[in-house]
Amino acid sequence: LAVALADVIFAIDSIPAVLAITTDTFLVFAANAFALLGLRALYFLLDGMAQRFEYLHYGLGALLVFVGLKMLVEDIVGHLPVAVSLGVIVATLGASVGASLLFSSKTSAAA
């Protein structure tokens, strides 16, 4: 219930942002409907992955710090290229999953 309520709140909150880009009503409602479906699926995907990979929560925390720092220094440094941001995301998630596979006590106990 809490996840569904959070999805609806975020969808309602994003309507003005989408309306700032386009005035096509169908596009606004379709984008919010797909966002609702995608957020719920992403939440359950991350929840399942966090149970399997012991160090994933550290990687997700590092990504939140990266996004926060990126937002803070954007006015000073300028816009960071999308390729750099995606590289940081992939590298951070890959490192946390790799560390979980190599150093996890759950996988070594199961082996």
Side-chain angles (χ1 to χ4, degrees):
L1 183 63
V3 173
L5 183 64
D7 285 348
V8 170
I9 290 171
F10 283 126
I12 291 171
D13 182 48
S14 67
I15 289 175
V18 176
L19 285 174
I21 297 171
T22 181
T23 57
D24 185 7
T25 310
F26 174 74
L27 188 62
V28 171
F29 286 118
N32 281 300
F34 284 120
L36 281 171
L37 295 171
L39 284 174
R40 182 171 298 142
L42 184 63
Y43 172 79
F44 287 112
L45 173 73
L46 285 175
D47 183 47
M49 287 181 66
Q51 292 176 3
R52 291 177 187 228
F53 300 113
E54 189 175 344
Y55 298 112
L56 183 63
H57 62 280
Y58 294 118
L60 294 173
L63 286 179
L64 288 175
V65 169
F66 169 71
V67 170
L69 289 174
K70 181 180 166 185
M71 290 169 55
L72 284 174
V73 300
E74 187 170 359
D75 291 338
I76 299 168
V77 177
H79 182 71
L80 193 64
V82 175
V84 174
S85 295
L86 286 175
V88 169
I89 291 169
V90 169
T92 304
L93 288 177
S96 63
V97 168
S100 295
L101 292 175
L102 289 175
F103 305 116
S104 178
S105 60
K106 293 177 187 175
T107 55
S108 53

